[in-house]
Amino acid sequence: MDTQASPIRKLAIMGGTFDPIHIGHLVTAEEVRHEFGIDEVLFIPTGHPPHKSNINMTTSEHRYLMTVLATAENPNFKVSRLEMDREGVTYTVDTVKELKRIYAETVKLYFITGADAVQKILTWKSPEELLKLCDFVAVTRPGYHKAELIQKVEELKKQYEANIHFLEVPALAISSSNIRERINAMKPIKYLVPEEVENYIKKYDLYEYKICLTEEERTEMYDYVASKLSPKRYAHTRGVVEIALEYAKYHHLDYDEIFIAALFHDIAKELGKEEQKRLCDLYKIELDEFEQKHIDLAHGKIGAVLLEKNWGISKPSILNSIRYHTVGRHNMTDLDKIIYLADMTEEGRGTYKGKDQIKELAHYDLDRAMYKALISSYNYVTNILKQEVHPITQELIEYYKQFN
Ligand code: NAP
């Protein structure tokens, strides 16, 4: 933020967690600017607010950057790091005093925030002083129960000579918590947040739920998988879990995600062709031409559906790594690669030419390991099994060649 005294006469502070910022906030800021003849709106993402634990909050750096992206094209909107860069707990009264110091004392300040927050203002630090330092704009969403708020505000006005204004903003039907829930449920957030914010959220996987299994849940999953597979296939599965977790350590991947993907990767393997066909029809699983001819290759896709249906696990990263562990796919994630490589290199697979090298590479260079594994798989299917190979194998070999 520019710390020079500026010619601004009316400055509105848009204080909020912005976790994430959405178009409701932007419409609010613009509406207040217009309504009160504001020169500049300064968005201040909270640092360590006194009323929230930081455990479930997105880091202030992410929230700040999303706010910058969202406001970039509006010349009247600025973003400040004032609160996030302040050590310890941040209080609004300190922020407002600091702004009074930075801008000329003559600047008129408005503090825009949610009506819920304003209602609790007496619980904030030095409310009496704060209410004298600036006007407040309490914004409400449609359907907000205003009676209580109006009464509270009347009390504040009388007792502290506070200036508190109301503004109902229809666009605030959107809320940050609703956006987080939508992402969690894999619903679209397009048009609810600016496109740049949507891309940023995707890039950093923000708000995706994290799986945290307890020991009991892990045991329950082991027992379930053991009950669905022959002892030989279950032993293979345990081997895949073990080695996938070992690889994961070197690539900083989520332990529980790897565990679930590895444990369930072959859950549909021994269902029998007829049952596999039935499940593909039932769940409308799309198979390519090659998979239709070789239905046993569909067990990855079926397994992903069964995991979601029976265990309620819907995280795309896990489901995709199970779905594509048989022949791979374009743009494989590290999780996809680890499941593919673990499946090929677990102890029970026995020894074959190149296995030790693939295992070694999988610890530090997944792409090179993939190249070697794909070649090995291609040779095994054509020379030993004397079967045709899925066309994607050749395409992936071509792609991963560059890493060799
Ligand atoms: P919150 O409790 O997360 O939000 C309360 C409600 O207000 C939510 O519905 C929220 O919707 C909405 N909201 C928040 N900021 C908004 C804004 N600028 N415009 C429109 N709606 C907004 O509140 P918060 O975001 O953490 O805090 C709001 C402000 O109050 C921050 O600047 C914070 O520092 C300040 N505060 C100060 C103290 C103190 O000094 N002791 C204590 C509490 C709060 P969304 O989730 O959709 O934004």
Side-chain angles (χ1 to χ4, degrees):
M1 190 181 59
D2 184 3
T3 53
Q4 297 292 308
S6 82
I8 289 170
R9 285 162 292 117
K10 282 185 174 184
L11 176 77
I13 304 161
M14 183 77 178
T17 315
F18 305 128
D19 195 13
I21 189 160
H22 51 71
I23 57 152
H25 294 130
L26 299 170
V27 171
T28 300
E30 188 57 20
E31 187 70 10
V32 173
R33 196 184 71 78
H34 172 76
E35 198 68 22
F36 295 89
I38 304 284
D39 297 297
E40 186 175 297
V41 181
L42 189 60
F43 287 71
I44 309 190
T46 54
H48 307 284
H51 60 305
K52 280 186 186 174
S53 110
N54 279 344
I55 297 169
N56 294 319
M57 214 158 83
T58 311
T59 62
S60 51
E61 204 61 49
H62 278 318
R63 293 183 289 109
Y64 167 76
L65 288 174
M66 287 190 281
T67 309
V68 170
L69 287 171
T71 54
E73 66 176 12
N74 189 326
N76 301 310
F77 290 177
K78 299 271 162 57
V79 188
S80 164
R81 300 179 61 96
L82 197 84
E83 289 202 351
M84 53 181 280
D85 285 349
R86 198 183 294 152
E87 289 279 311
V89 173
T90 43
Y91 296 103
T92 301
V93 67
D94 299 331
T95 306
V96 173
K97 281 204 275 191
E98 178 73 0
L99 289 172
K100 282 259 178 195
R101 196 187 60 74
I102 294 170
Y103 291 86
E105 272 289 327
T106 49
V107 78
K108 183 164 173 56
L109 291 181
Y110 292 78
F111 192 91
I112 315 167
T113 196
D116 293 345
V118 171
Q119 278 221 54
K120 294 185 200 130
I121 210 158
L122 288 181
T123 65
W124 296 14
K125 185 184 163 192
S126 316
E128 198 171 340
E129 185 182 9
L130 178 62
L131 286 165
K132 285 195 173 67
L133 286 171
C134 61
D135 279 21
F136 275 79
V137 184
V139 289
T140 57
R141 323 194 115 92
Y144 188 87
H145 190 60
K146 274 190 240 142
E148 212 179 304
L149 175 68
I150 291 171
Q151 195 194 335
K152 180 98 220 155
V153 166
E154 285 312 317
E155 278 168 36
L156 291 171
K157 277 183 174 170
K158 253 197 230 140
Q159 207 175 339
Y160 301 102
E161 293 167 41
N163 282 321
I164 302 175
H165 316 268
F166 294 110
L167 195 69
E168 182 172 294
V169 182
L172 268 182
I174 303 164
S175 72
S176 299
S177 58
N178 180 241
I179 288 182
R180 296 195 297 271
E181 280 163 22
R182 292 182 70 86
I183 294 169
N184 216 335
M186 280 174 296
K187 290 184 181 167
I189 56 162
K190 207 173 187 56
Y191 310 124
L192 297 175
V193 298
E195 198 179 344
E196 294 78 5
V197 173
E198 186 188 356
N199 292 338
Y200 187 93
I201 291 172
K202 272 196 203 130
K203 179 170 174 184
Y204 292 102
D205 261 357
L206 302 183
Y207 312 114
E208 262 205 29
Y209 72 98
K210 297 261 177 288
I211 294 174
C212 277
L213 296 178
T214 60
E215 255 334 293
E216 290 77 47
E217 284 167 331
R218 267 190 215 115
T219 308
E220 205 185 322
M221 283 182 167
Y222 273 130
D223 291 347
Y224 175 84
V225 173
S227 75
K228 298 286 174 193
L229 299 177
S230 64
K232 188 169 172 224
R233 178 67 41 194
Y234 181 62
H236 160 71
T237 295
R238 295 285 304 228
V240 172
V241 171
E242 192 182 321
I243 200 155
L245 289 174
E246 185 190 315
Y247 294 155
K249 268 194 285 188
Y250 294 85
H251 301 281
H252 310 290
L253 293 191
D254 184 90
Y255 183 94
D256 283 330
E257 282 196 27
I258 291 274
F259 171 80
I260 296 170
L263 186 61
F264 283 85
H265 81 285
D266 267 352
I267 194 71
K269 177 88 177 168
E270 296 180 321
L271 288 176
K273 284 188 177 29
E274 284 315 308
E275 180 62 357
Q276 288 177 337
K277 274 191 198 143
R278 189 186 72 79
L279 290 172
C280 285
D281 289 344
L282 179 66
Y283 295 123
K284 301 192 173 31
I285 295 172
E286 277 183 31
L287 302 178
D288 61 33
E289 231 175 273
F290 194 91
E291 288 165 337
Q292 283 170 24
K293 265 206 297 184
H294 305 269
I295 191 71
D296 47 321
L297 278 184
H299 73 269
K301 291 182 176 174
I302 302 168
V305 172
L306 294 181
L307 176 63
E308 189 171 8
K309 298 268 173 223
N310 297 332
W311 287 85
I313 290 172
S314 54
K315 221 173 165 183
S317 48
I318 299 178
L319 298 181
N320 281 335
S321 67
I322 295 174
R323 207 171 267 139
Y324 299 106
H325 82 271
T326 46
V327 290
R329 62 166 171 159
H330 294 289
N331 301 318
M332 287 175 84
T333 62
D334 282 357
L335 176 59
D336 293 350
K337 291 172 201 164
I338 285 182
I339 298 303
Y340 185 92
L341 292 166
D343 192 20
M344 277 199 67
T345 54
E346 67 91 13
E347 278 314 302
R349 283 273 189 223
T351 50
Y352 56 85
K353 191 165 165 267
K355 183 180 177 187
D356 288 343
Q357 195 192 11
I358 298 170
K359 269 174 78 171
E360 198 194 323
L361 284 171
H363 287 89
Y364 62 90
D365 188 343
L366 291 174
D367 292 321
R368 247 184 106 199
M370 278 303 295
Y371 178 67
K372 302 280 180 201
L374 285 158
I375 299 261
S376 174
S377 166
Y378 183 90
N379 289 338
Y380 177 72
V381 177
T382 44
N383 301 334
I384 312 283
L385 298 181
K386 307 249 184 269
Q387 285 174 6
E388 57 174 338
V389 185
H390 193 294
I392 197 168
T393 308
Q394 194 62 51
E395 289 165 30
L396 291 178
I397 288 173
E398 280 307 308
Y399 171 76
Y400 284 103
K401 203 186 249 173
Q402 61 181 305
F403 302 104
N404 192 31

